[in-house]
Amino acid sequence: MNEFVVEVKPSARRTNGAVGAAVVRRGTRRRFATRADAESWAASLSGGNEPRVWIRLADPRDDSAVDGYLVGRRGRVSLDGAYDKRRRRLRGGTESEQSGFDRF
């Protein structure tokens, strides 16, 4: 019988609480009849208010005994204004307004 083996990566556990609960119940490896079944499982974990997790195929050069990985990514950190803050700090100023272009 051919099966599709998935290993849960730490990124999925950190991202999605339902994944952590599933790992506690049944461990970090799951066996499915097909990849479609694994994808369906990942989608069910991402339901409700939980962040999205998905199945990533293992690299062909990966010598582990898995066919894919359940992975996740935390939401992007907002960096609004970070670039401007760095420029102000490098110029030695503390003002929030840009003044360098007023001279031209």
Side-chain angles (χ1 to χ4, degrees), residues 11-59:
S11 65
R13 292 180 74 177
R14 285 190 302 267
T15 301
N16 183 309
V19 173
V23 167
V24 168
R25 283 191 309 270
R26 294 189 48 201
T28 59
R29 285 208 177 163
R30 293 280 179 106
R31 297 179 187 284
F32 299 93
T34 65
R35 178 181 176 185
D37 291 341
E39 298 274 358
S40 178
W41 175 65
S44 73
L45 292 169
S46 298
N49 292 331
E50 291 290 346
R52 183 173 174 265
V53 291
W54 62 94
I55 301 295
R56 181 178 58 84
L57 287 178
D59 189 283

Side-chain angles (χ1 to χ4, degrees), residues 5-7 9 29 56-69:
V5 180
V6 173
E7 183 174 310
K9 297 298 267 185
R29 285 208 177 163
R56 181 178 58 84
L57 287 178
D59 189 283
R61 297 169 293 187
D62 188 344
D63 59 355
S64 68
V66 300
D67 300 301
Y69 297 98

